Amino acid sequence: MATNISDRLRAGVTTRTAEETRALAAEWAAALPADATVALHGDLGSGKTTWVQGLALGFGINEPVTSPAFTIYTLHSGPERMLAHMDAYRLRSAQEAEDLLIEEFLVSPWCLAVEWPDRVPGWISRDALHVGLEIEADGRHSIRLRGR
Ligand SMILES: Nc1ncnc2c1ncn2[C@@H]1O[C@H](COP(=O)(O)OP(=O)(O)O)[C@@H](O)[C@H]1O
Ligand SMILES: [Mg+2]
């Protein structure tokens, strides 16, 4: 039986390569609602940034998505929607998180993808989609869409 990408991710998927992870994220990108917050949970190296790279691919965004050393978030505009990529790892305080003013830059339709979402609870809307990433003992990466 053919199942859609969200159902597959909800059941949990494992990938062997970053390329495979990006391809899944790119497929999922098309299933996202117009204005979507995506909270990416997982340890360092679990594939959060790789997932965002896949989202960008899916949105037709060609510029590279990286883990910036000094910025908390990067805005990418694309032909279908804009992608705001936040990496909250280096945020030091709740105040710093509040001061980001991202909403001023979000133009619908947008996707706000957040690494380390627990550090910026104020930016994670109630309708956010939560994705958990893990490295398995055998080196594969697992991806699971939580909730709905
Ligand atoms: N199956 C896989 N899925 C995602 N990343 C993988 C996979 N296999 C190897 N990798 C590698 O693991 C690393 C994941 O890094 P990254 O996406 O930056 O993680 P995070 O943002 O969670 O710290 C990358 O170097 C990527 O190439
Ligand atoms: Mg990262």
Side-chain angles (χ1 to χ4, degrees), residues 43-50 52 66-68 85-87 89-90 115-116:
D43 292 336
L44 215 57
S46 60
K48 300 182 295 299
T49 300
T50 303
V52 182
T66 57
S67 304
H85 175 204
M86 190 194 300
D87 185 342
Y89 190 66
R90 289 171 209 81
E115 301 187 40
W116 304 101

Side-chain angles (χ1 to χ4, degrees), residues 14-22 40-53 66-67 85 87 115-116 133-135 139-143:
T14 55
T15 59
R16 290 175 189 283
T17 64
E19 209 43 66
E20 235 182 289
T21 295
R22 282 187 206 104
L40 297 163
H41 304 265
D43 292 336
L44 215 57
S46 60
K48 300 182 295 299
T49 300
T50 303
W51 191 257
V52 182
Q53 290 168 345
T66 57
S67 304
H85 175 204
D87 185 342
E115 301 187 40
W116 304 101
L133 299 105
E134 275 177 49
I135 306 181
R140 293 190 300 171
H141 290 235
S142 72
I143 302 142

Side-chain angles (χ1 to χ4, degrees), residues 73 75 82 84 99-108 110:
Y73 65 92
L75 302 170
M82 70 172 294
D99 290 346
L100 292 175
L101 300 174
I102 291 189
E103 75 270 27
E104 312 234 332
F105 300 105
L106 294 178
V107 180
S108 187
W110 48 261

